[in-house]
């Protein structure tokens, strides 16, 4: 079980250079000394306090359970508007299931699976002429699956689903994000005509990713949710490296595609090829006079 408490005050001044003295720098002064220096009021002053509580269990066969709870309270005073932030993180759970073994006929050695859920609720109250209140809720569910095959092949999948809702006096906001990440790693000894020419095993690594993000806004007088963020990103990279004598050599291919579906619908596509070589050598002891 663990507990963490943090409390701090920060301030920023838009003025000429000034010596704030050691008391300001080490936090040995009252809060008012952070707001006013030599008659000037800070452009931004923040008082922040947070509590984080957590406990966990390590279970047999690599399984585990982690549970956390967080509280954040902050007060910010600046030239735009005063803000009071109240944030709660609950539930915050991460679980890892026991590793599962399979018969040799399946080709799979072990399989591990982990997932969880995190929910963050943030309430922001703006001061000034009229008090306004904004509430944001964000929920994220990750998923991780790793398969160790017979031999040296390892495949892994990491995904996450994220959704959020926001509400303020002018309308509501909806947010959705989905991400996928798939990786393959393997190594094998050279065979055929490569025997004797390559001194090290060949190492292959492949990574593919996909991220989709969308945010839309519903005004108090409207009915449709109008998107202001709607974009996807797709990436693929493949690398292969090995060693020949004292040289480490390899090549890499990467593909990156980005596309937006709002506004001018901008996007970009990049395909890159690369080769590298690195000379590795060791020197003997350097004689000392």
């Amino acid at each position: 079980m663990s507990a963490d408490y943090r409390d701090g005050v920060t301030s920023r001044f838009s003025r000429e250079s000034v010596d704030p003295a050691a008391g300001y720098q080490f936090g040995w002064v009252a809060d008012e000394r952070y707001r006013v220096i030599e008659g000037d009021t800070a452009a931004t002053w923040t008082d922040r306090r947070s509590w984080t509580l957590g406990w966990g269990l390590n279970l047999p066969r690599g399984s585990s359970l982690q549970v956390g709870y967080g509280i954040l309270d902050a007060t910010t005073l600046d030239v735009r508007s005063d803000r009071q932030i109240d944030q709660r993180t609950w539930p915050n759970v991460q679980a890892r299931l026991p590793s599962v073994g399979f018969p040799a006929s399946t080709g799979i050695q072990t399989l591990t699976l982990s997932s969880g859920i995190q929910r963050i609720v943030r309430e922001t109250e703006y001061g000034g002429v009229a008090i306004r209140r904004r509430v944001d809720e964000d929920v994220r569910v990750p998923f991780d699956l790793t398969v160790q095959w017979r031999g040296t092949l390892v495949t892994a999948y990491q995904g996450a689903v994220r959704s959020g809702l926001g509400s303020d006096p002018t309308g509501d906001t909806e947010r959705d994000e989905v991400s996928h990440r798939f990786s393959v790693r393997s190594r094998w000894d050279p065979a055929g005509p490569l025997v004797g020419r390559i001194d090290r095993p060949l190492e292959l690594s492949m990574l593919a990713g996909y991220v989709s993000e969308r945010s839309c806004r519903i005004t108090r007088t409207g009915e449709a949710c109008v998107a202001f963020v709607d974009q996807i990103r797709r990436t693929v990279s493949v690398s292969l490296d090995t060693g020949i004598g004292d040289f480490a050599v390899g090549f890499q291919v990467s593909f990156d595609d980005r596309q937006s579906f709002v506004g001018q619908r901008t996007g970009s596509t990049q395909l890159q090829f690369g080769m590298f070589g690195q000379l590795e050598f060791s020197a003997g002891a350097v004689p000392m006079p």
Side-chain angles (χ1 to χ4, degrees):
M1 184 173 180
S2 63
D4 180 73
Y5 173 74
R6 298 186 182 187
D7 188 357
V9 178
T10 60
S11 60
R12 186 179 72 249
F13 290 82
S14 300
R15 55 159 293 156
E16 296 180 357
S17 300
V18 63
D19 183 7
Y24 179 96
Q25 300 181 49
F26 289 95
W28 297 335
V29 297
D31 292 350
E32 187 63 24
R33 292 287 300 276
Y34 280 91
R35 296 185 59 185
V36 179
I37 293 181
E38 297 182 3
D40 285 347
T41 303
T44 301
W45 177 88
T46 301
D47 185 3
R48 181 187 180 101
R49 297 169 300 278
S50 66
W51 270 103
T52 302
L53 303 175
W55 63 273
L57 292 174
N58 291 323
L59 304 174
R61 298 174 59 187
S63 59
S64 63
L65 176 65
Q66 305 291 330
V67 180
Y69 175 74
I71 300 175
L72 170 65
D73 296 316
T75 301
T76 299
L77 308 178
D78 61 24
V79 294
R80 296 176 299 174
S81 174
D82 301 345
R83 299 187 299 277
Q84 177 67 43
I85 300 174
D86 183 4
Q87 178 176 298
R88 299 293 183 268
T89 303
W90 176 259
N92 187 9
V93 180
Q94 295 180 354
R96 182 183 179 92
L97 299 181
S99 298
V100 180
F102 290 84
S105 59
T106 63
I108 300 176
Q109 184 174 345
T110 58
L111 182 148
T112 57
L113 174 65
S114 63
S115 185
I117 182 172
Q118 182 186 66
R119 177 175 177 263
I120 300 176
V121 178
R122 182 185 182 99
E123 298 183 7
T124 306
E125 188 175 275
Y126 298 88
V129 178
I131 297 179
R132 295 164 295 167
R133 184 169 174 265
R134 177 179 178 86
V135 180
D136 292 285
E137 179 180 356
D138 188 89
V139 179
R140 184 176 183 271
V141 179
F143 183 84
D144 192 336
L145 174 65
T146 302
V147 179
Q148 172 72 60
W149 301 83
R150 301 286 174 177
T152 61
L153 178 62
V154 179
T155 58
Y157 167 78
Q158 294 176 332
V161 177
R162 183 177 181 179
S163 63
L165 296 174
S167 178
D168 59 53
T170 62
D172 299 329
T173 304
E174 298 180 1
R175 298 179 296 273
D176 295 287
E177 181 179 323
V178 178
S179 63
H180 305 279
R181 184 176 183 271
F182 179 74
S183 63
V184 177
R185 301 191 312 273
S186 182
R187 58 183 301 173
W188 64 92
D189 295 327
L194 297 180
V195 176
R197 298 183 179 182
I198 297 180
D199 303 329
R200 309 174 195 174
L202 287 87
E203 297 187 3
L204 173 68
S205 176
M206 187 192 76
L207 177 65
Y210 175 88
V211 178
S212 172
E213 182 181 1
R214 186 177 189 274
S215 299
C216 62
R217 180 77 175 168
I218 307 175
T219 62
R220 293 300 178 204
T221 59
E223 297 181 356
C225 193
V226 180
F228 60 91
V229 175
D230 189 359
Q231 59 188 13
I232 61 173
R233 181 183 181 185
R234 293 168 289 193
T235 58
V236 177
S237 65
V238 179
S239 64
L240 179 67
D241 61 86
T242 184
I244 302 176
D246 293 332
F247 283 91
V249 296
F251 78 93
Q252 182 177 19
V253 181
S254 62
F255 173 80
D256 189 313
D257 180 52
R258 306 185 186 191
Q259 180 65 54
S260 174
F261 300 97
V262 298
Q264 297 180 351
R265 298 176 178 266
T266 59
S268 65
T269 301
Q270 294 182 350
L271 179 62
Q272 296 181 339
F273 295 87
M275 299 184 63
F276 64 88
Q278 180 178 353
L279 177 62
E280 299 178 353
F281 64 91
S282 59
V286 178
M288 301 297 295

